Amino acid sequence: MSSADDRRNVRAGHTHGGGTVKGFVHKDRSPPPSLNDSLEGEIQAFLTDEDQLHTYDDLTKVNPVTPTTVLKCLQARYSVKVFYTHAGCTLVALNPFQPIPHLYSLDVMKEYHCAPQPQEFKPHIFIVAEEAYRNVQGQLEPVNQSLVVSGESGAGKTWTSRCLMKYYATVAASSSVVKSQHTVERIEKRVLDSNPIMEAFGNACTLRNNNSSRFGKYIQLQLDRCQLLVGASVQTYLLEKTRVGCQPANERNFHIFYQMMKGATDEQRKEWEMPRGQRFVWLPNAEKTVDEDCFHETVEAMVHLGINAERQRQIFTILAGILQLGNVNFSSSTDESQPCNLEEQSKDFLQRAAELLRVPAEELQMCLRVRTLKAGKQSVLKPCSQAECSMRRDCLAKVIYAQLFEWLVTFINNSMCADKSTWCNFIGVLDVYGFECFQTNNLEQLCINYANEKLQQHFVAHYLRAQQEEYVSEGLQWSFVKYQDNQSCLDLIEGSPVSVFSLLNEESRLNRASDSKMFRVRLEKELCDNVNISWDKFSKVPHFTVAHYAGKVNYQIQGMVDKNKDPVPPELSSLLQKSGNSLLHQIFTDKETENLTSKGLSKVTVVSKFKNSLESLMKILHATTPHYTRCIKPNPDCKPLTFKKEEVIMQLEACGIVETIHISAAGFPIRIPFSSFLQRYGLITTYSKLKSETRVDLEADSDVLQREVEKLLRVLLQTHAVDPSHCLGKPNSWVHCGRTKVFLTQSMLDLLEDQRNKILSQCAFSIQRCWLRYQRRRRHARLKSAIVIQAAVRSWLVRREVQRWNRAATVIQDTWRRWRALLKSLAEAELDDAKDLVEEEVPELNPVIRERGSVQLSNIQEPVTVRGWPMGLALASAPSITVSLTATGFQKMMSVMASLNLPSRRGDYKVETNQYTKGLASIRAQPKGSVKLHYQRSPLLYADRQPDQKSDVTGFNEILLEKTL
């Protein structure tokens, strides 16, 4: 059966807030004698059929809501391997202490992300993530979101935060925009790769958790206007750097040291001077193996973030130097005026540490054993005691590791943080250390528990108190649900003018040796009126007890003031600034620059610095929409699928789960101002049968807006066949109209959104129809216009072409007519004149010559040039004539000479051929006394023939050239 079916089946068996459950056995009982007896009876009736308890996916359906019923439901769900349960506005997550890959697969992410209503699915951390993501997308208002993951150490906060980051990295990367796909994938990879590095350098194996966060972090996932992941930034809080040099019993140092020991190659071990089998004082329980001991994964994440091989080598060399420093021990000197002696085996470790840190060994030894005191302008060297030498050694290791961790965080932020102009909203994931109570608790545990107190107070102020006060101010009939308010505990720790922190800072700023007994006396004197603090007067160890929201914790005073001072001897900083390791030199040079810029300010203690950073975090949380996830630790031993009732009930009472369920079951989790409500859902009235005749002014009086809201709700409820008087009249129903806001349950909000989406779909369908109709009409009109234009253009082109043809034909005709006329005139001029033939007496010619043609020359004595063509010409005898003939070939030439019948008198005639120079010419007669050329067949008969196009002769002569002998 699907999760949605499960949810519907469960809802079918309940009434909202009622106690009727289908299939449950109810016994008829007489009226209870007392309220306690009645409640006990209801609890027994509810728990009659425990086989059905695991079906309650939301604890607001439990009736009655008591710690016992809530605990039983959680136990039943945990036994069937269901680890997430809704508790009103909060998600309860039980740690299974074993990997469950299918629960967080990519298919599950897509299923929740693509679901129209993710709330219909089984409870999951992805529902919280998707709700926050859709809020950013603007379901109501695009407000920045914060996911607050809280719980005890070992409850599963780090794993939950890791799942949230992977979900957003996957969802925000599912874009079809090819241009931004590469950027999204790069940011997604870097966001995910920041986790292994942060956990390797900031997490450690403790008694309560194998992967306990020893620092707090708030990760901002930056989104652009398209809700795509464009960057991220990490803000860290209070790294537990004392763990570097001092590990509690049966606990380990930070993961990175063990990763180096177990994952380094032989070449790296040689470079780090870390041979196999060597033991380090600061690496206890090295034989224990946890899942986080994966050196290759950390190195791969460094590469993806852009930390090159040289920088990695410098980082691991520094870490190896810190480990070597931990093996350095001192022995007391017999002469107090002389520095402490190094133990014999410690000399090699000191030399190795100096080589790895790239500092002179002599100066390192001097800084650890001798203290520099300034008296005016003079410096005085004072030998340190054995305890002071060990403290300076630890201080050196702590400050190096803390600054290296801070550099890593800055590098990660620079590699994945986007420019402010490229993102507009963010989703924050808060993962802080859980509430801690060890056998020995000091300043670190006080700060950690103080941070948890602030988060609990934020939850109380935001939900438990603020919501109920708002119900009353808006006129809802509401009876207050009692809850545990931890404001008095916060006043004890951080209050003004006197608190634990203020007294601790005063003691730290005094230039004197700290005295734990004196500080305890002062605490008793100044804070005796606060009920949250107490003392055990018979204890030999000075301490004080604080009653936190999660229980009482004893804090040891010894060493608390010194840790708050967090002194770093100036000679140690100067030594590290001279380091040959470029990274170490850069870190402490930058730190020295920061110290110089802040010169003149009062010294910042650990407590004041942590308090200021936590206050900035709380401002961010108050400015965002929070989503709470409560991680519960089922058993103290971290055993898989083991449920300890005592452990769970204590956590449920401490974090106020039962009170949260009470308020969520009876209250309204969604609150929207009238103007915003009408602005978003006013279209329901506009497009209903009861259309509003007047348009509502959103800036009108609240009474007018309230009437419009009630009218809108009536229209909606009538549309869905729900009695409006029932829903609008009772305060514990679906919706209630207050004085300025509308209070809704999730069911009512879903109903509103569903109706709004239907109307928008109808409007979109109408717009699409009108647009398609307009597009089709426009396309048809354009088609008709195109046809008309094309027809007009074609007709104009045809007319222009016909006109051009007509003009060309006219020109050709005119030219041809002129040419024919010219030819005719030439032909007439060249033909024999009958009159001349009659008047002149022509001598009888030779028959052969007559057959071929005849030429009669006048008696003019002037030389006349006669040009003819090679067709067999005959010339009459003339006294002095220059004849220019054209003949091609020897035979033709001889034929011409024979046909001319020229006299043999030398010099009387001159024959000149011109076939190469002057071309072929016809006989041209002068006006008088012209030479007449007669030929059997006139060449003019061939004037209409087409000449050979390959000939070089042109004009009329070209036509005559066709007729040859």
Side-chain angles (χ1 to χ4, degrees):
M1 184 181 295
S2 65
S3 57
D5 295 335
D6 294 341
R7 190 176 180 91
R8 284 191 292 269
N9 291 340
V10 173
R11 285 182 174 177
H14 299 277
T15 58
H16 186 78
T20 305
V21 181
K22 184 177 180 180
F24 278 24
V25 178
H26 294 273
K27 299 180 180 180
D28 295 334
R29 299 185 302 272
S30 59
S34 65
L35 183 59
N36 291 337
D37 294 340
S38 174
L39 182 60
E40 189 66 28
E42 291 179 4
I43 294 174
Q44 292 299 326
F46 178 78
L47 300 177
T48 299
D49 192 353
E50 295 189 4
D51 294 338
Q52 299 295 324
L53 294 181
H54 69 277
T55 61
Y56 287 81
D57 53 2
D58 196 335
L59 296 177
T60 57
K61 301 173 183 177
V62 174
N63 188 26
V65 179
T66 65
T68 303
T69 56
V70 172
L71 180 66
K72 282 289 186 181
C73 286
L74 291 177
Q75 184 179 10
R77 293 175 65 80
Y78 193 74
S79 63
V80 295
K81 297 183 180 181
V82 178
F83 309 108
Y84 291 105
T85 307
H86 289 299
C89 67
T90 305
L91 180 71
V92 177
L94 294 169
N95 194 343
F97 292 114
Q98 67 178 14
I100 307 176
H102 69 273
L103 195 59
Y104 308 98
S105 64
L106 184 62
D107 293 336
V108 176
M109 292 183 189
K110 293 181 179 179
E111 182 180 4
Y112 279 93
H113 178 59
C114 300
Q117 294 294 336
Q119 291 79 8
E120 296 294 332
F121 289 80
K122 293 180 180 179
H124 201 288
I125 187 62
F126 294 158
I127 291 182
V128 180
E130 182 62 24
E131 181 182 356
Y133 187 69
R134 294 191 183 188
N135 284 352
V136 173
Q137 288 181 313
Q139 184 178 3
L140 294 176
E141 294 179 2
V143 183
N144 297 328
Q145 310 290 307
S146 288
L147 302 175
V148 182
V149 183
S150 60
E152 290 193 3
S153 179
K157 300 184 302 300
T158 300
W159 173 260
T160 302
S161 301
R162 192 186 306 172
C163 291
L164 290 170
M165 291 179 62
K166 184 167 182 60
Y167 181 84
Y168 287 125
T170 303
V171 167
S174 58
S175 171
S176 59
V177 183
V178 179
K179 181 180 179 181
S180 62
Q181 187 68 23
H182 176 70
T183 303
V184 171
E185 290 178 354
R186 178 177 60 85
I187 295 299
E188 171 198 3
K189 187 66 177 173
R190 293 194 173 186
V191 169
L192 296 180
D193 284 331
S194 66
N195 264 335
I197 299 177
M198 300 290 286
E199 292 182 13
F201 283 84
N203 290 16
C205 181
T206 64
L207 291 174
R208 309 190 68 180
N209 186 7
N210 287 342
N211 190 30
S212 177
S213 298
R214 308 321 302 161
F215 72 106
K217 64 176 179 290
Y218 183 73
I219 303 173
Q220 275 190 349
L221 303 175
Q222 300 159 349
L223 307 175
D224 62 4
R225 296 184 182 276
C226 299
Q227 283 72 51
L228 290 179
L229 186 64
V230 295
S233 64
V234 182
Q235 186 175 355
T236 59
Y237 307 94
L238 190 66
L239 175 70
E240 190 189 20
K241 58 185 178 182
T242 56
R243 183 171 290 268
V244 176
C246 180
Q247 301 80 35
N250 297 324
E251 293 191 2
R252 300 203 318 174
N253 210 324
F254 291 102
H255 291 320
I256 186 62
F257 295 111
Y258 299 93
Q259 291 179 1
M260 292 173 58
M261 283 288 295
K262 298 178 181 181
T265 62
D266 293 336
E267 183 180 353
Q268 288 173 330
R269 286 179 176 276
K270 183 178 180 180
E271 181 183 359
W272 301 339
E273 299 186 20
M274 190 185 294
R276 295 185 184 275
Q278 182 179 356
R279 299 186 63 84
F280 294 97
V281 176
W282 286 348
L283 289 187
N285 301 314
E287 67 281 353
K288 183 177 181 179
T289 302
V290 296
D291 295 337
E292 286 70 25
D293 291 342
C294 186
F295 183 63
H296 175 72
E297 183 178 350
T298 303
V299 173
E300 187 177 357
M302 286 183 172
V303 173
H304 291 159
L305 282 174
I307 303 177
N308 55 38
E310 177 61 24
R311 193 61 90 186
Q312 292 179 34
R313 190 183 64 81
Q314 295 172 359
I315 292 173
F316 295 132
T317 303
I318 293 173
L319 296 175
I322 292 175
L323 289 180
Q324 297 290 347
L325 202 61
N327 286 356
V328 176
N329 293 318
F330 303 91
S331 59
S332 300
S333 176
T334 55
D335 187 359
E336 294 183 357
S337 62
Q338 296 298 321
C340 294
N341 298 321
L342 275 174
E343 294 182 359
E344 190 63 29
Q345 63 271 22
S346 297
K347 294 181 180 179
D348 292 339
F349 293 126
L350 182 66
Q351 183 67 29
R352 293 178 187 177
E355 292 176 359
L356 292 170
L357 297 177
R358 304 290 297 276
V359 296
E362 296 79 8
E363 292 188 26
L364 175 61
Q365 184 175 351
M366 179 64 70
C367 291
L368 295 179
R369 299 164 61 201
V370 179
R371 181 172 49 165
T372 303
L373 301 177
K374 287 189 176 182
K377 295 183 180 180
Q378 296 181 351
S379 298
V380 179
L381 301 179
K382 180 182 178 181
C384 298
S385 63
Q386 182 182 5
E388 288 176 339
C389 289
S390 299
M391 184 188 71
R392 292 168 75 87
R393 176 203 61 197
D394 296 349
C395 179
L396 179 62
K398 288 189 298 182
V399 71
I400 292 176
Y401 192 84
Q403 292 302 316
L404 179 61
F405 182 80
E406 187 175 339
W407 179 88
L408 274 172
V409 173
T410 304
F411 186 91
I412 290 173
N413 284 334
N414 292 337
S415 67
M416 64 182 184
C417 187
D419 187 73
K420 180 62 180 176
S421 60
T422 61
W423 62 277
C424 55
N425 294 102
F426 68 85
I427 298 177
V429 180
L430 179 62
D431 175 22
V432 295
Y433 10 59
F435 187 85
E436 293 183 350
C437 180
F438 300 136
Q439 187 173 0
T440 301
N441 305 284
N442 209 285
L443 182 64
E444 294 84 8
Q445 281 68 41
L446 178 62
C447 292
I448 288 172
N449 294 338
Y450 162 65
N452 282 270
E453 288 283 355
K454 290 290 287 185
L455 292 177
Q456 178 65 16
Q457 193 259 353
H458 175 263
F459 175 74
V460 168
H462 176 79
Y463 193 79
L464 299 180
R465 180 173 62 241
Q467 284 200 12
Q468 297 190 88
E469 290 177 353
E470 189 174 23
Y471 291 158
V472 175
S473 64
E474 290 289 333
L476 275 74
Q477 300 178 9
W478 186 264
S479 59
F480 268 85
V481 177
K482 294 183 180 181
Y483 56 88
Q484 181 183 358
D485 193 351
N486 63 336
Q487 186 60 48
S488 60
C489 184
L490 285 173
D491 293 338
L492 169 69
I493 299 175
E494 64 168 4
S496 179
V498 181
S499 63
V500 174
F501 280 177
S502 64
L503 295 176
L504 190 59
N505 286 335
E506 288 182 15
E507 190 71 20
S508 301
R509 292 189 177 101
L510 295 176
N511 191 13
R512 67 182 184 187
S514 60
D515 188 346
S516 58
K517 293 183 179 179
M518 186 181 299
F519 184 58
R520 174 186 169 179
V521 171
R522 192 175 181 192
L523 288 174
E524 291 181 4
K525 180 181 178 181
E526 299 290 345
L527 302 174
C528 59
D529 295 336
N530 196 302
V531 296
N532 290 84
I533 190 171
S534 59
W535 298 269
D536 185 4
K537 297 182 179 181
F538 300 101
S539 175
K540 296 181 181 180
V541 180
H543 71 276
F544 61 94
T545 303
V546 177
H548 291 283
Y549 76 96
K552 293 184 177 182
V553 181
N554 297 325
Y555 295 101
Q556 182 179 341
I557 299 178
Q558 184 67 37
M560 185 175 289
V561 177
D562 293 333
K563 288 184 177 181
N564 189 42
K565 293 179 181 179
D566 194 22
V568 179
E571 53 268 24
L572 293 181
S573 298
S574 301
L575 175 65
L576 294 174
Q577 292 174 22
K578 302 175 185 177
S579 172
N581 188 310
S582 60
L583 176 59
L584 202 59
H585 172 76
Q586 173 189 343
I587 290 174
F588 283 90
T589 303
D590 296 343
K591 183 181 179 183
E592 183 65 22
T593 305
E594 293 178 2
N595 293 337
L596 291 176
T597 56
S598 60
K599 188 175 181 181
L601 300 176
S602 59
K603 185 178 180 181
V604 179
T605 61
V606 172
V607 163
S608 59
K609 183 179 179 180
F610 179 68
K611 181 181 176 182
N612 292 336
S613 61
L614 198 59
E615 287 295 335
S616 65
L617 171 64
M618 300 311 297
K619 289 181 180 179
I620 296 176
L621 293 181
H622 284 298
T624 58
T625 301
H627 304 265
Y628 300 99
T629 300
R630 296 289 193 181
C631 296
I632 301 296
K633 189 176 183 180
N635 64 85
D637 303 321
C638 301
K639 294 182 179 180
L641 299 177
T642 302
F643 193 91
K644 297 290 186 181
K645 296 181 181 180
E646 299 79 8
E647 182 80 10
V648 176
I649 196 67
M650 182 178 65
Q651 298 175 62
L652 293 178
E653 292 175 351
C655 61
I657 288 292
V658 177
E659 293 83 356
T660 304
I661 297 170
H662 273 296
I663 297 174
S664 299
F668 302 92
I670 296 104
R671 300 172 298 282
I672 309 175
F674 287 153
S675 58
S676 300
F677 184 84
L678 290 173
Q679 184 177 3
R680 184 170 182 82
Y681 301 110
L683 52 85
I684 295 178
T685 306
T686 305
Y687 291 93
S688 65
K689 296 180 180 179
L690 304 174
K691 294 186 178 180
S692 179
E693 298 179 357
T694 59
R695 188 172 183 179
V696 182
D697 184 9
L698 297 179
E699 297 181 358
D701 189 17
S702 59
D703 294 336
V704 177
L705 296 178
Q706 182 177 4
R707 287 194 295 270
E708 290 297 327
V709 169
E710 291 178 352
K711 180 181 178 181
L712 188 154
L713 292 172
R714 287 192 182 92
V715 170
L716 175 68
L717 297 174
Q718 287 175 0
T719 304
H720 289 78
V722 180
D723 186 5
S725 62
H726 173 74
C727 293
L728 295 175
K730 296 185 179 181
N732 292 335
S733 57
W734 290 0
V735 60
H736 181 85
C737 292
R739 293 187 175 92
T740 61
K741 296 180 180 180
V742 183
F743 294 83
L744 306 168
T745 60
Q746 185 64 44
S747 301
M748 192 63 188
L749 181 65
D750 295 342
L751 189 63
L752 284 164
E753 286 294 325
D754 182 62
Q755 185 66 18
R756 181 176 181 272
N757 291 335
K758 287 182 179 179
I759 293 176
L760 290 178
S761 299
Q762 294 175 359
C763 294
F765 182 66
S766 300
I767 293 173
Q768 288 175 352
R769 286 189 303 173
C770 295
W771 175 250
L772 291 175
R773 182 170 60 248
Y774 166 75
Q775 287 282 69
R776 180 161 297 184
R777 289 178 177 175
R778 187 179 179 185
R779 189 162 51 249
H780 183 67
R782 287 181 176 179
L783 182 61
K784 291 180 62 178
S785 301
I787 293 173
V788 172
I789 293 172
Q790 289 174 356
V793 170
R794 288 193 183 102
S795 63
W796 176 78
L797 289 174
V798 170
R799 286 196 301 271
R800 190 182 67 170
E801 189 70 15
V802 170
Q803 291 173 0
R804 190 173 69 86
W805 290 350
N806 292 336
R807 288 195 300 270
T810 303
V811 170
I812 292 172
Q813 290 173 356
D814 293 343
T815 305
W816 178 249
R817 290 190 184 101
R818 287 196 300 270
W819 181 246
R820 291 298 297 269
L822 179 61
L823 291 181
K824 186 176 181 181
S825 63
L826 291 176
E828 291 177 353
E830 293 179 357
L831 292 177
D832 294 336
D833 191 351
K835 183 178 179 181
D836 293 338
L837 293 176
V838 173
E839 293 177 355
E840 294 184 3
E841 192 177 324
V842 180
E844 187 177 356
L845 297 177
N846 192 339
V848 176
I849 296 175
R850 180 182 298 275
E851 183 181 356
R852 294 184 176 273
S854 64
V855 176
Q856 293 184 358
L857 302 177
S858 65
N859 296 323
I860 300 176
Q861 298 301 316
E862 291 83 3
V864 177
T865 301
V866 179
R867 294 187 176 89
W869 50 89
M871 298 183 192
L873 302 175
L875 294 175
S877 60
S880 177
I881 289 180
T882 300
V883 180
S884 177
L885 297 175
T886 299
T888 302
F890 177 76
Q891 293 180 355
K892 292 183 180 181
M893 195 66 191
M894 293 301 296
S895 176
V896 170
M897 294 296 293
S899 64
L900 288 177
N901 195 15
L902 295 175
S904 60
R905 294 190 304 271
R906 185 176 182 183
D908 290 343
Y909 296 96
K910 180 181 180 181
V911 178
E912 179 180 339
T913 60
N914 59 356
Q915 65 267 30
Y916 298 108
T917 57
K918 298 182 180 179
L920 190 66
S922 61
I923 295 177
R924 294 290 182 267
Q926 295 181 357
K928 291 183 178 181
S930 61
V931 178
K932 300 294 182 177
L933 177 64
H934 299 275
Y935 185 57
Q936 183 179 359
R937 298 178 66 183
S938 175
L940 296 181
L941 297 177
Y942 300 93
D944 59 346
R945 298 287 183 89
Q946 182 177 359
D948 185 9
Q949 296 296 331
K950 296 182 181 180
S951 176
D952 293 333
V953 183
T954 59
F956 186 67
N957 296 329
E958 185 178 5
I959 301 174
L960 301 179
L961 187 61
E962 277 196 347
K963 187 63 179 176
T964 60
L965 291 176

